[in-house]
Amino acid sequence: MALTRTQRRARIRKRIRKTVSGTASQPRLSVFRSNKEIYAQIVDDVTGKTICSASSRDKTISKAKGTKIEIAALVGKSLAEKAIKAGV
């Protein structure tokens, strides 16, 4: 019997998180891409805190026009700037 989409995503997430864990000195980058938007965040798994996040729904990025690849690049640039400010 085939898995549903949510069951498949849960299985993939469990397999990845079994080996990948973020620390304060080397945090984990989590990226979620839906059909319309892209979300990214930097996570410290030891304390369970999100250090910084960015998405294509942010006001500065959502005004930008372009392809999905160009919007994703803007999200990455925004996340990098926020991470530098946070001291990562």
Side-chain angles (χ1 to χ4, degrees):
M1 182 164 70
L3 296 174
T4 64
R5 176 179 284 176
T6 54
Q7 289 171 333
R8 187 176 62 81
R9 286 296 314 149
R11 182 178 283 184
I12 291 169
R13 181 180 182 274
K14 185 177 177 182
R15 184 173 59 235
I16 291 170
R17 291 298 310 280
K18 188 169 41 175
T19 58
V20 177
S21 180
T23 62
S25 61
Q26 188 174 10
R28 173 174 59 92
L29 173 65
S30 172
V31 178
F32 176 75
R33 183 184 56 86
S34 71
N35 287 336
K36 294 175 106 178
E37 311 290 345
I38 185 164
Y39 307 88
Q41 58 185 356
I42 296 178
V43 182
D44 177 8
D45 290 318
V46 175
T47 60
K49 301 283 185 183
T50 298
I51 298 169
C52 59
S53 65
S55 75
S56 57
R57 298 186 74 182
D58 292 346
K59 291 186 187 276
T60 57
I61 298 172
S62 64
K63 293 178 184 178
K65 300 291 183 189
T67 65
K68 289 182 180 181
I69 295 171
E70 293 167 346
I71 299 297
L74 290 174
V75 170
K77 186 174 182 178
S78 173
L79 184 67
E81 291 170 356
K82 290 179 181 180
I84 290 171
K85 286 182 185 176
V88 176

Coordinates of all heavy atoms in Angstrom, one line a residue:
M1 N 0.8 -1.2 0.0 CA 0.0 0.0 0.0 C 0.9 1.2 0.0 O 1.9 1.3 0.7 CB -0.9 0.0 1.2 CG -1.8 1.1 1.3 SD -3.2 0.9 2.5 CE -2.4 1.0 4.0
A2 N 0.5 2.2 -0.8 CA 1.3 3.4 -1.0 C 1.1 4.3 0.2 O 0.0 4.4 0.8 CB 0.9 4.1 -2.3
L3 N 2.2 5.1 0.6 CA 2.1 6.0 1.6 C 1.4 7.3 1.2 O 1.6 7.7 0.0 CB 3.5 6.4 2.2 CG 4.3 5.2 2.8 CD1 5.7 5.7 3.1 CD2 3.6 4.7 4.0
T4 N 0.8 8.0 2.1 CA 0.3 9.3 1.7 C 1.4 10.3 1.7 O 2.6 10.0 2.1 CB -0.8 9.8 2.8 OG1 -0.1 10.0 4.0 CG2 -1.9 8.9 2.9
R5 N 1.2 11.5 1.2 CA 2.2 12.5 1.1 C 2.8 12.9 2.5 O 4.0 13.0 2.6 CB 1.7 13.8 0.4 CG 2.7 14.9 0.4 CD 2.1 16.1 -0.3 NE 2.2 15.8 -1.8 CZ 1.7 16.6 -2.7 NH1 1.1 17.7 -2.3 NH2 1.7 16.3 -4.0
T6 N 1.9 13.0 3.5 CA 2.4 13.4 4.8 C 3.2 12.3 5.4 O 4.2 12.5 6.1 CB 1.2 13.8 5.7 OG1 0.3 12.8 5.7 CG2 0.6 15.1 5.2
Q7 N 2.8 11.0 5.2 CA 3.5 9.9 5.8 C 4.9 9.8 5.1 O 5.9 9.5 5.8 CB 2.7 8.6 5.5 CG 1.5 8.4 6.4 CD 0.7 7.3 6.0 OE1 0.7 6.8 4.8 NE2 -0.1 6.7 6.9
R8 N 4.9 10.0 3.8 CA 6.2 9.9 3.1 C 7.1 11.0 3.6 O 8.3 10.8 3.9 CB 6.0 10.1 1.6 CG 7.2 9.9 0.8 CD 6.9 9.9 -0.7 NE 6.4 11.2 -1.1 CZ 7.1 12.3 -1.4 NH1 8.4 12.2 -1.3 NH2 6.5 13.4 -1.8
R9 N 6.6 12.3 3.7 CA 7.5 13.4 4.2 C 7.9 13.1 5.7 O 9.1 13.4 6.0 CB 6.7 14.7 4.2 CG 6.5 15.3 2.9 CD 7.7 15.7 2.2 NE 8.6 16.5 3.0 CZ 10.0 16.4 2.9 NH1 10.5 15.7 2.0 NH2 10.7 17.1 3.7
A10 N 7.1 12.5 6.5 CA 7.5 12.2 7.9 C 8.6 11.2 7.9 O 9.5 11.2 8.7 CB 6.3 11.7 8.7
R11 N 8.5 10.2 7.0 CA 9.6 9.2 6.9 C 10.9 9.8 6.5 O 11.9 9.4 7.0 CB 9.1 8.1 6.0 CG 10.1 6.9 5.9 CD 9.7 5.9 4.9 NE 8.7 5.0 5.6 CZ 8.1 4.0 5.1 NH1 8.5 3.6 3.9 NH2 7.3 3.2 5.8
I12 N 10.8 10.6 5.5 CA 12.1 11.3 5.0 C 12.7 12.2 6.1 O 13.9 12.1 6.4 CB 11.8 12.1 3.7 CG1 11.4 11.2 2.6 CG2 12.9 13.0 3.4 CD1 10.8 11.9 1.4
R13 N 11.8 12.9 6.8 CA 12.3 13.8 7.9 C 12.9 13.0 9.0 O 14.0 13.3 9.5 CB 11.1 14.6 8.4 CG 11.5 15.5 9.5 CD 10.3 16.3 10.0 NE 10.7 17.2 11.1 CZ 10.8 16.9 12.4 NH1 10.6 15.7 12.8 NH2 11.2 17.9 13.2
K14 N 12.3 11.9 9.3 CA 12.9 11.0 10.4 C 14.3 10.5 10.0 O 15.2 10.4 10.8 CB 11.9 9.9 10.7 CG 12.3 9.0 11.8 CD 11.3 8.0 12.1 CE 11.7 7.0 13.2 NZ 10.7 6.0 13.4
R15 N 14.4 10.1 8.7 CA 15.6 9.5 8.2 C 16.7 10.6 8.2 O 17.9 10.3 8.6 CB 15.4 8.9 6.8 CG 16.6 8.3 6.3 CD 16.3 7.6 4.9 NE 15.9 8.5 3.9 CZ 14.7 8.3 3.2 NH1 13.9 7.3 3.5 NH2 14.4 9.2 2.3
I16 N 16.4 11.8 7.8 CA 17.4 12.9 7.8 C 17.8 13.3 9.2 O 19.0 13.4 9.5 CB 16.9 14.0 7.0 CG1 16.8 13.7 5.5 CG2 17.8 15.3 7.2 CD1 16.1 14.7 4.7
R17 N 16.8 13.5 10.1 CA 17.1 14.0 11.4 C 17.8 13.0 12.3 O 18.4 13.3 13.3 CB 15.8 14.4 12.1 CG 15.1 15.7 11.5 CD 16.0 16.9 11.6 NE 16.5 17.1 12.9 CZ 15.9 17.7 13.9 NH1 14.6 18.1 13.8 NH2 16.5 17.8 15.1
K18 N 17.8 11.7 11.9 CA 18.5 10.7 12.6 C 20.0 10.9 12.5 O 20.7 10.6 13.5 CB 18.2 9.3 12.0 CG 18.7 8.1 12.7 CD 18.1 6.8 12.2 CE 18.0 6.7 10.7 NZ 17.5 5.4 10.3
T19 N 20.5 11.5 11.4 CA 21.9 11.8 11.3 C 22.3 13.2 11.4 O 23.5 13.5 11.7 CB 22.4 11.2 9.9 OG1 21.6 11.9 8.9 CG2 22.1 9.7 9.8
V20 N 21.4 14.2 11.2 CA 21.7 15.6 11.2 C 21.2 16.3 12.4 O 20.0 16.2 12.7 CB 21.2 16.3 9.9 CG1 21.5 17.7 9.9 CG2 21.7 15.6 8.7
S21 N 22.0 17.0 13.1 CA 21.6 17.7 14.3 C 22.4 19.0 14.3 O 23.6 19.0 14.1 CB 21.8 16.9 15.6 OG 21.4 17.7 16.7
G22 N 21.7 20.1 14.6 CA 22.4 21.4 14.7 C 22.8 21.8 16.1 O 22.1 21.5 17.0
T23 N 24.0 22.4 16.2 CA 24.5 22.9 17.5 C 24.6 24.4 17.4 O 24.4 25.0 16.4 CB 25.8 22.2 17.8 OG1 26.8 22.6 16.9 CG2 25.7 20.7 17.9
A24 N 25.0 25.0 18.5 CA 25.2 26.5 18.5 C 26.4 26.9 17.6 O 26.3 27.9 16.9 CB 25.4 27.0 19.9
S25 N 27.4 26.0 17.6 CA 28.6 26.4 16.8 C 28.4 26.0 15.3 O 28.9 26.6 14.4 CB 29.8 25.7 17.3 OG 29.6 24.3 17.2
Q26 N 27.5 25.0 15.0 CA 27.3 24.5 13.7 C 25.8 24.2 13.5 O 25.4 23.1 13.6 CB 28.1 23.3 13.3 CG 28.0 22.9 11.9 CD 29.0 21.8 11.5 OE1 29.6 21.2 12.4 NE2 29.1 21.5 10.2
P27 N 25.0 25.3 13.3 CA 23.5 25.0 13.3 C 23.1 24.3 12.0 O 23.8 24.3 11.0 CB 22.9 26.5 13.4 CG 24.0 27.3 12.9 CD 25.3 26.7 13.2
R28 N 21.8 23.9 12.0 CA 21.2 23.2 10.9 C 20.4 24.1 10.1 O 19.7 25.0 10.6 CB 20.3 22.1 11.5 CG 19.5 21.3 10.5 CD 18.8 20.2 11.1 NE 17.9 20.6 12.2 CZ 16.6 20.8 12.0 NH1 16.0 20.8 10.9 NH2 15.8 21.2 13.1
L29 N 20.5 24.0 8.8 CA 19.7 24.8 7.8 C 18.5 24.0 7.4 O 18.7 22.9 6.9 CB 20.6 25.2 6.6 CG 19.8 25.9 5.5 CD1 19.3 27.2 5.9 CD2 20.7 26.1 4.3
S30 N 17.3 24.5 7.6 CA 16.1 23.8 7.3 C 15.4 24.6 6.2 O 15.2 25.8 6.3 CB 15.2 23.7 8.5 OG 13.9 23.2 8.1
V31 N 15.1 23.9 5.0 CA 14.5 24.6 3.9 C 13.2 23.8 3.6 O 13.2 22.6 3.5 CB 15.4 24.6 2.7 CG1 14.8 25.2 1.5 CG2 16.7 25.3 3.0
F32 N 12.1 24.6 3.4 CA 10.9 24.0 3.0 C 10.4 24.8 1.7 O 10.4 26.0 1.7 CB 9.8 24.2 4.1 CG 8.4 23.7 3.6 CD1 8.2 22.3 3.5 CD2 7.4 24.6 3.3 CE1 6.9 21.9 3.0 CE2 6.2 24.2 2.8 CZ 6.0 22.8 2.7
R33 N 10.1 24.0 0.7 CA 9.6 24.7 -0.6 C 8.3 24.1 -0.9 O 8.1 22.9 -1.1 CB 10.6 24.3 -1.7 CG 10.2 25.0 -3.0 CD 11.2 24.5 -4.1 NE 11.2 23.1 -4.3 CZ 10.3 22.4 -5.0 NH1 9.3 23.0 -5.6 NH2 10.4 21.1 -5.1
S34 N 7.3 25.1 -0.9 CA 6.0 24.7 -1.4 C 5.9 25.0 -2.8 O 6.8 25.5 -3.5 CB 4.9 25.4 -0.6 OG 4.9 26.8 -0.9
N35 N 4.7 24.9 -3.4 CA 4.5 25.2 -4.8 C 4.7 26.7 -5.1 O 5.1 27.1 -6.2 CB 3.2 24.7 -5.4 CG 3.2 23.2 -5.5 OD1 4.2 22.6 -5.7 ND2 2.0 22.6 -5.4
K36 N 4.3 27.5 -4.1 CA 4.3 29.0 -4.3 C 5.4 29.7 -3.6 O 5.9 30.7 -4.0 CB 3.0 29.6 -3.8 CG 1.8 29.1 -4.6 CD 0.5 29.7 -4.0 CE 0.0 30.8 -4.8 NZ -1.3 31.4 -4.2
E37 N 5.8 29.2 -2.4 CA 6.7 29.9 -1.5 C 7.9 29.1 -1.2 O 7.9 27.9 -1.4 CB 6.0 30.4 -0.2 CG 4.7 31.0 -0.4 CD 4.8 32.4 -1.0 OE1 5.9 33.0 -1.0 OE2 3.8 33.0 -1.4
I38 N 9.0 29.7 -0.6 CA 10.1 29.0 -0.1 C 10.4 29.6 1.3 O 10.4 30.8 1.5 CB 11.3 29.1 -1.0 CG1 12.5 28.2 -0.5 CG2 11.8 30.5 -1.3 CD1 13.6 28.0 -1.5
Y39 N 10.7 28.7 2.2 CA 11.0 29.1 3.6 C 12.3 28.5 4.0 O 12.6 27.3 3.7 CB 9.9 28.6 4.6 CG 8.5 29.0 4.2 CD1 7.8 28.2 3.3 CD2 7.9 30.1 4.7 CE1 6.5 28.5 2.9 CE2 6.6 30.5 4.3 CZ 5.9 29.6 3.4 OH 4.6 30.0 3.1
A40 N 13.1 29.2 4.8 CA 14.4 28.7 5.3 C 14.6 29.2 6.7 O 14.3 30.3 7.0 CB 15.6 29.2 4.3
Q41 N 15.3 28.4 7.5 CA 15.6 28.8 8.8 C 16.8 28.1 9.3 O 17.2 27.0 8.9 CB 14.4 28.5 9.8 CG 14.0 27.1 9.9 CD 12.7 26.9 10.8 OE1 12.3 27.9 11.4 NE2 12.2 25.7 10.8
I42 N 17.5 28.7 10.2 CA 18.7 28.2 10.9 C 18.4 27.8 12.3 O 17.9 28.6 13.0 CB 19.9 29.2 10.8 CG1 20.2 29.5 9.3 CG2 21.1 28.7 11.6 CD1 21.3 30.5 9.1
V43 N 18.6 26.5 12.6 CA 18.1 26.0 13.9 C 19.2 25.4 14.7 O 20.2 24.8 14.2 CB 17.1 24.8 13.6 CG1 16.5 24.3 14.8 CG2 16.0 25.3 12.7
D44 N 19.2 25.7 16.0 CA 20.0 25.1 17.0 C 19.2 24.0 17.7 O 18.3 24.3 18.5 CB 20.5 26.1 18.0 CG 21.4 25.6 19.1 OD1 21.7 24.4 19.1 OD2 21.7 26.3 20.1
D45 N 19.5 22.7 17.4 CA 18.7 21.6 18.0 C 19.0 21.3 19.4 O 18.1 20.7 20.1 CB 18.9 20.4 17.1 CG 18.3 20.5 15.8 OD1 17.2 21.0 15.7 OD2 19.0 20.1 14.8
V46 N 20.1 21.7 19.9 CA 20.5 21.5 21.3 C 19.5 22.3 22.3 O 19.0 21.7 23.2 CB 21.9 21.9 21.6 CG1 22.3 21.7 23.1 CG2 22.9 21.0 20.8
T47 N 19.3 23.5 22.0 CA 18.4 24.4 22.8 C 17.0 24.4 22.2 O 16.1 24.8 22.9 CB 18.9 25.8 22.8 OG1 19.0 26.3 21.5 CG2 20.3 25.9 23.5
G48 N 16.8 23.9 21.0 CA 15.5 23.8 20.4 C 15.0 25.2 19.9 O 13.8 25.5 19.9
K49 N 15.9 26.1 19.5 CA 15.6 27.4 19.1 C 15.9 27.7 17.6 O 16.9 27.1 17.1 CB 16.4 28.4 19.9 CG 16.2 28.4 21.4 CD 14.9 29.0 21.8 CE 14.8 29.0 23.3 NZ 13.5 29.5 23.8
T50 N 15.1 28.5 17.0 CA 15.4 28.9 15.7 C 16.2 30.2 15.8 O 15.7 31.2 16.4 CB 14.0 29.2 14.9 OG1 13.3 28.0 14.8 CG2 14.3 29.8 13.5
I51 N 17.4 30.2 15.2 CA 18.3 31.4 15.3 C 17.8 32.5 14.4 O 17.7 33.6 14.9 CB 19.7 30.9 15.0 CG1 20.2 29.9 16.0 CG2 20.6 32.1 15.0 CD1 21.5 29.2 15.6
C52 N 17.5 32.2 13.2 CA 16.9 33.2 12.3 C 16.2 32.5 11.1 O 16.4 31.3 10.9 CB 18.0 34.1 11.7 SG 19.3 33.3 10.8
S53 N 15.3 33.2 10.5 CA 14.5 32.6 9.4 C 14.3 33.7 8.3 O 14.4 34.9 8.6 CB 13.2 32.1 9.9 OG 12.4 33.1 10.4
A54 N 14.0 33.2 7.1 CA 13.6 34.1 6.0 C 12.7 33.3 5.1 O 12.7 32.0 5.1 CB 14.8 34.5 5.2
S55 N 11.8 34.0 4.4 CA 10.9 33.3 3.5 C 10.6 34.3 2.3 O 10.9 35.5 2.4 CB 9.6 32.9 4.2 OG 8.8 34.0 4.4
S56 N 10.0 33.7 1.3 CA 9.6 34.5 0.1 C 8.4 35.4 0.4 O 8.0 36.2 -0.4 CB 9.4 33.6 -1.1 OG 8.4 32.7 -0.8
R57 N 7.8 35.2 1.6 CA 6.6 36.0 2.0 C 7.1 37.3 2.7 O 6.2 38.1 3.0 CB 5.7 35.2 2.9 CG 5.2 34.0 2.1 CD 4.2 33.2 2.9 NE 2.9 34.0 2.9 CZ 1.8 33.7 3.6 NH1 1.8 32.6 4.3 NH2 0.8 34.4 3.5
D58 N 8.4 37.4 3.1 CA 8.8 38.7 3.7 C 8.5 39.8 2.8 O 8.6 39.7 1.6 CB 10.3 38.6 3.9 CG 10.7 37.5 5.0 OD1 9.8 37.1 5.7 OD2 11.9 37.2 5.1
K59 N 8.2 41.0 3.4 CA 7.8 42.1 2.6 C 8.8 42.6 1.6 O 8.4 42.9 0.4 CB 7.5 43.3 3.5 CG 6.2 43.0 4.4 CD 5.8 44.2 5.2 CE 4.7 43.9 6.1 NZ 3.4 44.0 5.5
T60 N 10.1 42.6 1.9 CA 11.1 43.0 0.9 C 11.2 42.1 -0.2 O 11.5 42.5 -1.4 CB 12.5 43.2 1.6 OG1 12.8 42.0 2.2 CG2 12.4 44.3 2.7
I61 N 11.1 40.8 0.1 CA 11.3 39.8 -1.0 C 10.0 39.6 -1.8 O 10.1 39.4 -3.0 CB 11.7 38.4 -0.4 CG1 13.1 38.6 0.3 CG2 11.8 37.3 -1.4 CD1 13.5 37.4 1.1
S62 N 8.8 39.7 -1.2 CA 7.6 39.4 -1.9 C 7.3 40.5 -3.0 O 6.6 40.2 -3.9 CB 6.4 39.3 -0.9 OG 6.2 40.6 -0.3
K63 N 7.9 41.7 -2.8 CA 7.8 42.7 -3.8 C 8.6 42.5 -5.1 O 8.3 43.0 -6.1 CB 8.1 44.1 -3.2 CG 7.2 44.5 -2.2 CD 7.6 45.9 -1.6 CE 6.7 46.3 -0.4 NZ 7.2 47.5 0.2
A64 N 9.6 41.6 -4.9 CA 10.5 41.4 -6.0 C 9.9 40.5 -7.1 O 9.1 39.6 -6.7 CB 11.8 40.7 -5.5
K65 N 10.1 40.8 -8.3 CA 9.6 39.9 -9.4 C 10.7 39.1 -10.0 O 11.9 39.5 -10.0 CB 9.0 40.8 -10.5 CG 7.9 41.8 -10.1 CD 6.7 41.0 -9.8 CE 5.6 41.9 -9.4 NZ 4.4 41.3 -8.9
G66 N 10.4 37.9 -10.4 CA 11.4 37.0 -11.0 C 11.0 35.6 -11.0 O 9.9 35.3 -10.5
T67 N 11.9 34.7 -11.4 CA 11.6 33.3 -11.4 C 11.7 32.8 -10.0 O 12.2 33.5 -9.1 CB 12.6 32.6 -12.3 OG1 13.9 32.7 -11.8 CG2 12.5 33.1 -13.7
K68 N 11.3 31.5 -9.8 CA 11.4 30.9 -8.5 C 12.9 30.8 -8.0 O 13.2 30.9 -6.9 CB 10.8 29.5 -8.5 CG 9.3 29.5 -8.6 CD 8.8 28.1 -8.6 CE 7.3 28.0 -8.7 NZ 6.8 26.7 -8.7
I69 N 13.8 30.6 -9.0 CA 15.2 30.5 -8.7 C 15.7 31.8 -8.2 O 16.5 31.9 -7.2 CB 16.0 30.0 -9.9 CG1 15.5 28.6 -10.2 CG2 17.5 30.1 -9.6 CD1 16.1 28.1 -11.5
E70 N 15.3 32.9 -8.8 CA 15.8 34.2 -8.4 C 15.2 34.6 -7.0 O 15.9 35.2 -6.2 CB 15.3 35.3 -9.4 CG 16.1 35.1 -10.7 CD 15.4 35.9 -11.9 OE1 14.3 36.4 -11.7 OE2 16.1 36.1 -12.9
I71 N 13.9 34.3 -6.8 CA 13.3 34.5 -5.5 C 14.0 33.7 -4.4 O 14.3 34.2 -3.3 CB 11.8 34.2 -5.5 CG1 11.1 35.1 -6.5 CG2 11.2 34.3 -4.1 CD1 11.1 36.6 -6.2
A72 N 14.4 32.4 -4.7 CA 15.1 31.6 -3.7 C 16.4 32.1 -3.4 O 16.9 32.1 -2.3 CB 15.2 30.1 -4.3
A73 N 17.1 32.7 -4.4 CA 18.4 33.3 -4.2 C 18.3 34.5 -3.2 O 19.1 34.8 -2.4 CB 19.0 33.8 -5.5
L74 N 17.2 35.3 -3.4 CA 17.0 36.4 -2.5 C 16.7 36.0 -1.1 O 17.1 36.6 -0.1 CB 15.8 37.3 -3.0 CG 16.0 38.1 -4.3 CD1 14.7 38.7 -4.7 CD2 17.1 39.1 -4.1
V75 N 16.0 34.9 -0.9 CA 15.7 34.3 0.4 C 17.0 33.9 1.0 O 17.3 34.1 2.2 CB 14.7 33.1 0.3 CG1 14.6 32.4 1.6 CG2 13.3 33.6 -0.1
G76 N 17.9 33.2 0.3 CA 19.2 32.8 0.8 C 20.0 33.9 1.2 O 20.7 33.9 2.3
K77 N 20.0 35.0 0.4 CA 20.8 36.2 0.7 C 20.3 36.8 2.0 O 21.1 37.2 2.9 CB 20.8 37.2 -0.4 CG 21.7 38.3 -0.3 CD 21.7 39.2 -1.5 CE 22.6 40.4 -1.3 NZ 22.7 41.2 -2.5
S78 N 19.0 36.9 2.1 CA 18.4 37.5 3.3 C 18.7 36.7 4.6 O 19.0 37.2 5.6 CB 16.9 37.6 3.1 OG 16.2 38.0 4.3
L79 N 18.6 35.4 4.4 CA 18.9 34.5 5.6 C 20.4 34.6 6.0 O 20.7 34.7 7.2 CB 18.6 33.1 5.2 CG 18.8 32.0 6.3 CD1 17.8 32.3 7.4 CD2 18.7 30.6 5.8
A80 N 21.3 34.7 5.0 CA 22.7 34.9 5.3 C 23.0 36.2 6.1 O 23.8 36.2 7.0 CB 23.5 34.9 4.0
E81 N 22.3 37.3 5.6 CA 22.5 38.6 6.3 C 22.0 38.5 7.8 O 22.6 39.0 8.7 CB 21.8 39.7 5.6 CG 22.4 40.0 4.2 CD 21.5 40.9 3.4 OE1 20.4 41.2 3.8 OE2 22.0 41.3 2.3
K82 N 20.8 37.9 8.0 CA 20.3 37.7 9.3 C 21.2 36.8 10.2 O 21.3 37.1 11.4 CB 18.9 37.1 9.3 CG 17.9 38.1 8.7 CD 16.5 37.5 8.7 CE 15.5 38.4 8.1 NZ 14.1 37.8 8.0
A83 N 21.8 35.8 9.6 CA 22.7 34.9 10.3 C 23.9 35.6 10.8 O 24.4 35.4 11.9 CB 23.0 33.7 9.5
I84 N 24.5 36.5 9.9 CA 25.7 37.2 10.3 C 25.4 38.2 11.4 O 26.1 38.3 12.4 CB 26.2 38.0 9.0 CG1 26.8 37.0 8.0 CG2 27.2 39.0 9.5 CD1 27.2 37.6 6.7
K85 N 24.2 38.8 11.4 CA 23.8 39.7 12.5 C 23.6 38.9 13.8 O 23.8 39.4 14.9 CB 22.5 40.4 12.1 CG 22.6 41.5 11.1 CD 21.3 42.2 10.8 CE 21.5 43.3 9.7 NZ 20.2 43.9 9.4
A86 N 23.1 37.7 13.7 CA 22.9 36.8 14.9 C 24.2 36.2 15.4 O 24.2 35.6 16.4 CB 21.9 35.7 14.5
G87 N 25.3 36.4 14.6 CA 26.6 35.9 15.1 C 26.9 34.4 14.7 O 27.7 33.8 15.3
V88 N 26.2 34.0 13.7 CA 26.5 32.6 13.2 C 27.5 32.6 12.2 O 27.5 33.4 11.3 CB 25.2 31.9 12.7 CG1 25.4 30.6 12.2 CG2 24.1 31.9 13.8

